[in-house]
Amino acid sequence: MMKDKIELKKYYSTKEFLENYIYEENNLGVECTEEGTTFRLWSPQAECVSLNLYQTGNGGNAYERIPMKKEEKGVWSWESKEELHGVYYDYLITRNGEEVRSADPYAKACGVNGLRSMAVNLKKTNPKGWEKDQTPEEGPERIVYELHVKEFSWDKAGGFPEEYRGKYKAFTCRHTTLNGDGIHPTGLDYLKELGVTHIQIMPMYDYGSVNEAGEDTEFNWGYDPVNYNVPEGSYATDARHGEVRIREMKEMIQAIHEAGFGVIMDVVYNHVYNASDFCVNQIVPGYFSRVNEDGTYSNGSDCGNDTASERSMVRKYIVDSVKYWADEYHIDGFRFDLVGLIDTETINEVVTEVHKTHPDVIFYGEGWTMDTAVTKDGYKMTTQPNSTDVPGFAFFSDTLRDALKGHVFYTTRKGYVSGAADLADTVKGCFLGQAGDWCTTPAQSINYASCHDNMTLLDRITRSTPGVSEEDRIRMNNLSAAIYMTAQGIPFLQAGEEMLRTKIDASGGFLENSYNSPDSVNSIKWDTLEDETYQNVYNYYKGLIAFRKAHAALRLTNADDVNANITSVDGLDENVLAFRINGGVNGETSDGIFVIFNPNNAATSVTLPDGAWDVCVDADHAGTEALTTVSGSVSAEPISAMVLVKKKS
Ligand code: CA
């Protein structure tokens, strides 16, 4: 290395570097069309750069080595009149007499395991009808369902064709049913019936922890990025031909759109799989990652390294990448992993740039506060306490999550639904879209009870309620769902929460982190749908979702509207919460909504406002139709929610 890491860290912030080497054009990487192919690489310290061309994505020698031309701002280029679609390449960089070989950070395609990049004419990867593909117009509601490509279709009971199990292509199979019984829908048909509007897909860019040339029983969540702008190969039917994974991911997105859902991509810009091996750090030594004063990599992510998003060319890389996915793959939203490690300026630029051409794309992420060695002063991180600095970006509400079921790291603690005595006020703030001391508007709150991290909802409830009956635990589960599905903000659920998903390890314990557990642990178990208990829970979620979609007063977008139209009811039994929501607001067609949450083991009586009220949600049922009509006062059963709509007079 030319200088040690600390010297380099200083060098990248010098006036000399900033004036001479910040490249602003939007054309790094390879542009390949019928008219020709251009290669551009940013490598300021290189003395010379060679482009190596290969027939295949791995193995074999370069058939051509081409010296690249030095351009301004540290960029190297080479242009061919040929359309080099399908040609694999890497770069050989000479620096201080040493040679470094690297793939292209801006690669749009790659060979098996992402070690070699591939030139691609993207037009040739488009499935039939792709130019007409667009986000479905399904109304203003956003209810996000988080799933993993492989967990979705790996279970044989799902009825997917054998060759597509665990692959992008499974999403293109419509009208699948449980063991082909023709009765219980699985796959996208199942999700359509459930009613969620957006599918958030766990990492589907190229990651490093699964061997794409290995057995297809390997499993990983994929939070270990290698090629940020290339689809993961292990989900493709052929990982060795770079165009296949692109086409098949597009087919998946097209199928999800056709089925009526938006697609949200889980992106992990906060760290890379291996900081030393990562291509940007190879090409521009240590530029991509933060370094501590002792020369070690900063590790706020707990994944070995943190991305130096405050550096101009890293920021540009992140902005270009998100924009590319929105433009080329028609992605409708982005979930940022550990966004508390990325500076607010970068996130605001991402939001602004993407919204220029895709105004409805949504952005949210994990805004936890973490220690990280930011390389220069004056930058704020995108954390919950800084939420007002990033108004176009929403945050997972761990405030609500932990209040509902108990603290995520102390798994024997109870939550509001399981009998904790001191969490009603926290739940109240969350219900109003103003969680804890960080959230000032429902537009920035992702409301949830469980996601892929930590125990599933039912497992977490079970863990903290020894001696409680299964029936009561399911009531706690359903009360959690009723709270976050009627709260102000954006509801979110982990795949399978609506069918009491469980993750059990080999010794029979509840798994908190199944990132590399086998498929047998992680897959959605479609045959649970045959069990009546599960069906009841599923129907309850389905009813809550339908109710939410039918009531615009549940999706207010700012605190002023909330405070003017929702009243918290006083004088109730301890821990019981009730809210009166005005009709008319935000296009709400009813004359008002009344919501009761009773986490106690005894029924509770609540006085209703004047008039007759249709009960649409109670302990066992949820939907848009009246189960019964009441007036005066009403009794809410133990451990249950009750939601009523004022009858038109
Ligand atoms: Ca990979």
Side-chain angles (χ1 to χ4, degrees):
M1 213 179 257
M2 180 176 67
K3 300 170 185 173
D4 76 12
K5 280 184 183 158
I6 299 296
E7 271 183 74
L8 279 168
K9 175 176 168 174
K10 288 180 194 145
Y11 172 62
Y12 292 136
S13 294
T14 58
K15 205 172 156 204
E16 184 213 333
F17 186 85
L18 297 172
E19 276 178 3
N20 293 314
Y21 297 120
I22 305 306
Y23 183 72
E24 284 171 359
E25 297 299 312
N26 195 12
N27 58 11
L28 291 172
V30 171
E31 290 176 308
C32 177
T33 67
E34 291 80 352
E35 279 82 59
T37 309
T38 311
F39 296 76
R40 283 192 198 84
L41 177 77
W42 182 69
S43 184
Q45 297 114 316
E47 285 140 23
C48 65
V49 179
S50 307
L51 167 67
N52 304 306
L53 302 181
Y54 305 84
Q55 309 280 7
T56 57
N58 66 315
N61 295 321
Y63 68 80
E64 204 171 343
R65 178 184 282 197
I66 303 156
M68 294 184 83
K69 193 174 130 205
K70 191 170 188 175
E71 309 276 358
E72 53 160 20
K73 303 284 186 190
V75 170
W76 300 76
S77 77
W78 183 70
E79 210 175 327
S80 166
K81 296 260 183 295
E82 280 179 76
E83 180 192 10
L84 297 176
H85 176 74
V87 170
Y88 292 87
Y89 68 98
D90 62 19
Y91 294 112
L92 197 64
I93 292 136
T94 307
R95 197 169 49 219
N96 278 1
E98 282 179 23
E99 287 189 330
V100 178
R101 184 182 297 277
S102 177
D104 182 0
Y106 273 83
K108 294 170 181 146
C110 65
V112 66
N113 286 322
L115 297 173
R116 211 173 263 170
S117 308
M118 188 190 99
V120 58
N121 181 345
L122 287 162
K123 268 199 269 176
K124 295 191 168 169
T125 65
N126 291 346
K128 197 162 167 267
W130 182 246
E131 63 287 351
K132 292 199 194 88
D133 174 71
Q134 60 182 8
T135 309
E137 289 193 21
E138 293 283 311
E141 190 57 77
R142 283 157 168 167
I143 300 166
V144 181
Y145 190 87
E146 177 196 46
L147 57 74
H148 181 280
V149 172
K150 196 171 184 188
E151 71 177 19
F152 177 70
S153 60
W154 186 254
D155 181 13
K156 287 193 173 175
F160 299 93
E162 184 61 28
E163 68 274 25
Y164 292 164
R165 283 174 53 229
K167 306 290 184 191
Y168 299 123
K169 289 287 270 187
F171 289 82
T172 66
C173 308
R174 292 304 302 274
H175 314 309
T176 50
T177 55
L178 176 60
N179 293 314
D181 69 0
I183 301 166
H184 300 95
T186 62
L188 291 182
D189 282 14
Y190 165 84
L191 294 179
K192 200 64 206 163
E193 198 179 283
L194 178 62
V196 295
T197 66
H198 285 69
I199 297 175
Q200 177 195 300
I201 300 180
M202 286 166 67
M204 55 179 178
Y205 55 74
D206 176 42
Y207 61 78
S209 52
V210 164
N211 179 3
E212 295 177 1
E215 296 296 314
D216 68 358
T217 47
E218 285 188 40
F219 182 94
N220 205 286
W221 284 345
Y223 290 91
D224 39 70
V226 174
N227 282 288
Y228 276 105
N229 302 313
V230 181
E232 163 60 15
S234 65
Y235 303 143
T237 57
D238 174 1
R240 294 177 185 278
H241 294 91
E243 69 285 1
V244 178
R245 58 179 79 186
I246 302 176
R247 184 182 309 112
E248 291 184 352
M249 187 194 274
K250 286 178 173 175
E251 286 175 349
M252 172 184 78
I253 292 163
Q254 186 178 39
I256 296 174
H257 281 161
E258 276 171 7
F261 306 96
V263 178
I264 296 173
M265 183 175 184
D266 193 341
V267 289
V268 186
Y269 294 105
N270 69 84
H271 71 271
V272 296
Y273 184 38
N274 181 312
S276 302
D277 292 348
F278 183 59
C279 48
V280 174
N281 284 338
Q282 290 281 327
I283 295 164
V284 192
Y287 187 79
F288 200 80
S289 307
R290 293 178 183 143
V291 173
N292 294 315
E293 285 311 309
D294 64 0
T296 58
Y297 285 113
S298 173
N299 188 20
S301 66
D302 215 18
C303 298
N305 58 89
D306 304 335
T307 297
S309 62
E310 65 280 7
R311 287 185 175 141
S312 303
M313 293 299 286
V314 177
R315 171 172 304 137
K316 174 179 167 54
Y317 184 77
I318 294 172
V319 173
D320 288 350
S321 177
V322 179
K323 223 174 152 303
Y324 174 69
W325 286 106
D327 287 341
E328 183 63 32
Y329 287 85
H330 309 171
I331 299 291
D332 308 297
F334 295 89
R335 177 262 185 204
F336 278 69
D337 188 65
L338 301 184
V339 74
L341 292 169
I342 301 178
D343 67 288
T344 54
E345 204 175 298
T346 296
I347 289 299
N348 281 331
E349 197 171 319
V350 165
V351 173
T352 305
E353 285 302 313
V354 172
H355 278 174
K356 278 181 185 167
T357 41
H358 312 280
D360 295 326
V361 164
I362 59 171
F363 298 92
Y364 57 91
E366 297 178 305
W368 328 135
T369 301
M370 287 161 288
D371 269 338
T372 184
V374 183
T375 60
K376 26 187 184 174
D377 293 337
Y379 291 90
K380 283 188 185 177
M381 296 298 111
T382 311
T383 58
Q384 287 173 346
N386 295 331
S387 66
T388 54
D389 292 299
V390 283
F393 194 93
F395 294 94
F396 282 99
S397 177
D398 57 335
T399 314
L400 178 59
R401 178 198 69 194
D402 288 0
L404 289 176
K405 62 181 182 180
H407 195 285
V408 76
F409 295 134
Y410 306 96
T411 55
T412 57
R413 283 192 198 165
K414 294 183 195 308
Y416 177 76
V417 302
S418 43
D422 54 353
L423 291 166
D425 279 346
T426 309
V427 172
K428 186 197 288 185
C430 295
F431 184 82
L432 300 172
Q434 294 156 69
D437 54 6
W438 61 269
C439 187
T440 61
T441 167
Q444 286 188 282
S445 186
I446 303 290
N447 297 329
Y448 72 120
S450 75
C451 68
H452 66 275
D453 279 319
N454 314 116
M455 289 181 193
T456 70
L457 178 56
L458 186 69
D459 288 351
R460 178 65 182 78
I461 288 170
T462 303
R463 176 91 173 87
S464 57
T465 55
V468 167
S469 68
E470 177 79 1
E471 193 190 339
D472 276 355
R473 286 174 181 156
I474 292 172
R475 280 174 170 253
M476 293 169 185
N477 184 93
N478 290 355
L479 175 56
S480 300
I483 294 171
Y484 77 74
M485 282 290 185
T486 55
Q488 297 295 324
I490 301 155
F492 170 104
L493 68 153
Q494 179 190 18
E497 188 191 289
E498 77 290 355
M499 50 166 121
L500 301 176
R501 186 173 182 178
T502 183
K503 291 184 195 169
I504 309 280
D505 66 19
S507 61
F510 298 127
L511 261 173
E512 291 186 70
N513 187 355
S514 65
Y515 78 101
N516 64 355
S517 300
D519 302 302
S520 54
V521 169
N522 279 300
S523 60
I524 299 291
K525 309 294 185 293
W526 292 105
D527 55 7
T528 54
L529 293 170
E530 275 179 321
D531 186 311
E532 200 187 333
T533 313
Y534 294 91
Q535 277 173 22
N536 291 341
V537 174
Y538 165 77
N539 283 325
Y540 195 78
Y541 275 72
K542 184 176 150 186
L544 289 173
I545 290 169
F547 185 87
R548 185 175 177 92
K549 284 178 165 174
H551 292 282
L554 300 182
R555 47 175 178 273
L556 306 181
T557 53
N558 62 78
D560 287 345
D561 281 355
V562 169
N563 299 339
N565 290 289
I566 306 184
T567 315
S568 170
V569 178
D570 293 328
L572 305 170
D573 285 344
E574 205 165 337
N575 289 322
V576 175
L577 290 171
F579 301 91
R580 187 182 177 170
I581 305 170
N582 289 345
V585 59
N586 193 36
E588 170 68 39
T589 52
S590 81
D591 287 347
I593 300 170
F594 198 82
V595 182
I596 305 165
F597 302 130
N598 177 19
N600 300 334
N601 284 316
T604 190
S605 177
V606 177
T607 304
L608 294 170
D610 288 347
W613 294 82
D614 288 335
V615 178
C616 292
V617 176
D618 66 12
D620 304 312
H621 302 91
T624 53
E625 302 299 316
L627 301 164
T628 176
T629 302
V630 293
S631 57
S633 71
V634 71
S635 175
E637 285 187 36
I639 319 173
S640 77
M642 187 172 253
V643 184
L644 309 94
V645 177
K646 191 165 188 186
K647 226 176 169 52
K648 294 271 183 192
S649 49

